[in-house]
Amino acid sequence: MTIENIPFSPKNFERILNSITDGILISDGKGKALWANEYCLNAINKTKEEIIGKYAEELEEKGIFKPSITNMVLTEKAMVSSVQLTENNGKFMVSGHPIKNQQGEIDLVITHARDITGTVRTTTKLEEMQVLLKKYSMEIMKMRNISKKEETNNFFIGKSKTFHSTFNLINKAALVDTTVLITGETGTGKSVIAGRIHQLSERNNMPFVEINCSALPESLIESELFGYKRGAFTGANKEGKVGLLKMADKGTLFLDEIGELPIHLQAKFLQFLQQKKFTPIGDTTSYSVDIRILAATNKNLHELVQEGKFRSDLFYRLNVLPINVPSLRDRQEDLFYLLQLNLDKFNKKHNCHCKPTHQVIEALQNYDWPGNIRELENLIERLVITTSTNEITIEHLPSYILNTQKKSNHLLELGKGKTLTSTLDEIERNIIEETYKKYQTTRRTAIELGISQSLLMRRLKKYNLTKI
């Protein structure tokens, strides 16, 4: 039987379309609904009167079909497929087909919709399960790595809001497979944080490869990163060398002190980040690797970009997920906990029972800690080793910490019985007097103080320091 033998009366045509278990909607060339099959009406829980005669834009505005595939077909003047949401939260995969006349104008739009609500719900549940599995995996890895990280616990102890905010961001970074840029002062624990992100990530069983960009001469960094082919240059290993990029395949590459990466290598490394391919020195073949990049620096990369010392495009590639590690002076609330942790650690290590006096704790809390947690660690171990008794007193502290304490006490004494204005004047006078005595000229003194020479002259006159 051929198609010509089928009796296509309007009644039979309607029966055929109503027997289909997918939604069918027919509209004219202006988007007005002409006919809908029973499945379509049942799926959206509407009557014929609520749909037929209404324009696509109106149905979309009411939320009955969102987006309107009919409108999209009329706009694109071509077949369109997309997921469509209905008023009753149904999800349909809809294809819209234009029927054109001999002049190429659209006479009709036929949309065919298949219900995928159940499929989407199942997919959503699978996605939710995957997220839960990631979280459970991370918790398991945390417990598994506790014994391995005794020496790094110092960086992950604290009660302050600043600490918890950073700590939560670190854990979130471990869940996603993207580039992370870790910034912060020296001694804040940037390399330890990079290690933690790797340990808690899905790549934890793969290599964690680290390179310090400031520890190698410029001439060696390229060969260390990219490797080289046999006989690539004079003095090269006869067998060639596998670079760190290749060694880190499937794992994590951590570039510490990324701000020290030579400018001529930044372009080559940027190309690798974009393509995930690299070419060893002396080779003509490119190699693909699957690597997660973590980078760290104690420098202000924004300033380096402005000074032309760091490529802006590389900076933006690295700065996908930035983590700024707070300094110890920005988390003063955590100092006591870190102090106690280090005391317990080094007392146990050196079989001692040292305890600090209240004066010592107060002095340490008033200190700025430019070396951050690393400086605190080193100081506590030194005190535990060198203190002959079990009590650490103020006399045991280094002179630079005591001097800080004396300056703080001096400022308090200076202000006793005086107004704030007179106290500030006295401080300003002392600073100007000491600086002027050191440099002898008003020009050098003004430069050192960061003020104009004319302002300095007025201050010298005000404080009667012109005869120094």
Side-chain angles (χ1 to χ4, degrees):
M1 177 180 289
T2 63
I3 195 165
E4 288 83 1
N5 296 324
I6 300 175
F8 274 109
S9 66
K11 193 71 176 174
N12 284 341
F13 183 73
E14 189 172 7
R15 286 172 57 197
I16 292 169
L17 292 181
N18 278 329
S19 68
I20 297 174
T21 55
D22 288 333
I24 303 292
L25 177 66
I26 302 174
S27 305
D28 66 16
K30 293 183 179 179
K32 184 170 73 172
L34 302 176
W35 186 86
N37 72 347
E38 291 175 358
Y39 187 92
C40 175
L41 296 171
N42 291 334
I44 59 176
N45 195 28
K46 298 292 178 184
T47 63
K48 283 185 179 181
E49 291 71 26
E50 291 175 288
I51 301 298
I52 306 306
K54 305 295 189 300
Y55 285 89
E57 289 181 359
E58 181 184 348
L59 296 173
E60 186 174 29
E61 286 174 4
K62 290 181 177 179
I64 297 174
F65 299 120
K66 199 170 183 178
S68 169
I69 305 302
T70 300
N71 256 345
M72 293 171 71
V73 171
L74 292 173
T75 301
E76 298 291 331
K77 301 189 184 302
M79 194 272 282
V80 173
S81 291
S82 180
V83 174
Q84 186 180 74
L85 304 179
T86 61
E87 192 179 28
N88 55 355
N89 294 321
K91 295 180 178 66
F92 293 82
M93 176 57 72
V94 182
S95 296
H97 305 266
I99 307 298
K100 297 180 180 180
N101 58 29
Q102 291 182 344
Q103 288 74 38
E105 298 171 340
I106 298 176
D107 281 340
L108 297 172
V109 177
I110 315 295
T111 56
H112 167 250
R114 175 157 293 179
D115 190 351
I116 58 169
T117 307
T119 305
V120 170
R121 190 178 294 120
T122 303
T123 303
T124 303
K125 286 181 179 179
L126 285 172
E127 289 172 352
E128 290 172 354
M129 286 293 291
Q130 287 173 346
V131 171
L132 281 173
L133 284 171
K134 277 189 176 182
K135 289 183 178 178
Y136 292 149
S137 297
M138 191 174 82
E139 293 302 320
I140 291 168
M141 284 184 279
K142 281 182 187 176
M143 293 185 286
R144 189 181 65 189
N145 290 322
I146 284 175
S147 60
K148 295 180 183 178
K149 296 185 293 179
E150 186 176 339
E151 72 283 0
T152 69
N153 279 342
N154 294 359
F155 297 95
F156 301 108
I157 290 292
K159 301 288 184 181
S160 66
K161 288 182 179 178
T162 304
F163 166 77
H164 280 291
S165 176
T166 307
F167 186 76
N168 290 335
L169 185 56
I170 291 166
N171 288 339
K172 286 178 181 177
L175 285 173
V176 294
D177 196 41
T178 192
T179 304
V180 178
L181 178 61
I182 308 167
T183 58
E185 296 178 7
T186 297
T188 50
K190 297 184 292 294
S191 60
V192 178
I193 287 169
R196 181 182 180 87
I197 290 173
H198 172 75
Q199 287 171 349
L200 298 181
S201 73
E202 292 183 340
R203 297 177 183 262
N204 69 91
N205 290 322
M206 304 309 289
F208 178 76
V209 179
E210 180 177 353
I211 180 173
N212 189 315
C213 299
S214 66
L216 291 172
E218 286 190 17
S219 56
L220 290 181
I221 295 179
E222 184 175 11
S223 60
E224 285 293 317
L225 270 176
F226 300 98
Y228 56 82
K229 193 178 179 182
R230 181 175 59 182
F233 52 87
T234 304
N237 189 310
K238 292 181 179 179
E239 302 302 320
K241 181 181 177 65
V242 176
L244 297 180
L245 293 178
K246 183 66 175 175
M247 291 171 61
D249 193 20
K250 308 300 181 188
T252 304
L253 177 66
F254 173 49
L255 294 102
D256 201 4
E257 304 300 344
I258 187 69
E260 303 293 337
L261 189 66
I263 194 76
H264 70 277
L265 279 183
Q266 291 177 22
K268 187 170 182 178
F269 189 68
L270 173 65
Q271 186 179 23
F272 163 73
L273 282 178
Q274 292 171 332
Q275 301 177 359
K276 292 291 188 258
K277 292 181 180 181
F278 71 96
T279 305
I281 299 171
D283 205 340
T284 56
T285 305
S286 293
Y287 300 89
S288 297
V289 286
D290 173 22
I291 295 176
R292 184 186 191 180
I293 298 294
L294 306 178
T297 182
N298 61 5
K299 294 194 172 183
N300 188 326
L301 292 187
H302 280 289
E303 290 182 0
L304 292 182
V305 168
Q306 291 172 357
E307 294 168 6
K309 296 177 181 178
F310 202 86
R311 293 180 63 107
S312 59
D313 44 8
L314 177 57
F315 170 68
Y316 296 128
R317 277 281 176 178
L318 292 171
N319 201 39
V320 177
L321 181 54
I323 296 177
N324 183 52
V325 188
S327 63
L328 193 50
R329 64 181 170 275
D330 291 330
R331 40 183 296 209
Q332 281 287 329
E333 303 149 80
D334 300 330
L335 185 64
F336 180 79
Y337 300 101
L338 293 164
L339 175 62
Q340 191 60 53
L341 183 81
N342 279 288
L343 276 170
D344 293 343
K345 174 183 173 181
F346 293 118
N347 274 330
K348 183 179 179 181
K349 179 179 178 180
H350 300 292
N351 195 27
C352 296
H353 304 280
C354 295
K355 290 184 178 180
T357 64
H358 290 296
Q359 276 185 306
V360 170
I361 294 173
E362 186 178 350
L364 296 180
Q365 287 178 327
N366 289 331
Y367 181 56
D368 274 347
W369 299 105
N372 292 291
I373 295 176
R374 189 182 298 127
E375 183 184 5
L376 175 65
E377 270 191 324
N378 294 340
L379 175 65
I380 300 303
E381 184 169 21
R382 185 193 318 157
L383 292 173
V384 168
I385 293 171
T386 58
T387 302
S388 54
T389 65
N390 286 338
E391 187 175 62
I392 301 173
T393 65
I394 198 77
E395 291 77 18
H396 293 121
L397 293 180
S399 58
Y400 60 86
I401 292 181
L402 293 175
N403 290 338
T404 304
Q405 185 74 2
K406 286 176 184 177
K407 286 181 182 178
S408 176
N409 292 336
H410 172 66
L411 288 174
L412 291 173
E413 290 296 325
L414 197 63
K416 280 186 177 179
K418 298 179 181 179
T419 65
L420 178 62
T421 302
S422 61
T423 301
L424 292 175
D425 282 347
E426 189 171 349
I427 293 170
E428 184 180 50
R429 184 189 191 282
N430 290 339
I431 293 172
I432 291 174
E433 184 178 15
E434 288 179 14
T435 310
Y436 192 31
K437 281 181 179 179
K438 180 178 179 181
Y439 292 100
Q440 297 297 311
T441 68
T442 55
R443 188 180 68 84
R444 290 281 307 280
T445 303
I447 292 172
E448 181 65 23
L449 293 175
I451 60 177
S452 67
Q453 197 169 358
S454 59
L455 177 59
L456 175 63
M457 293 302 294
R458 290 197 296 272
R459 290 292 186 270
L460 289 173
K461 186 178 180 180
K462 175 182 176 180
Y463 300 124
N464 197 27
L465 296 172
T466 54
K467 296 181 181 180
I468 294 178

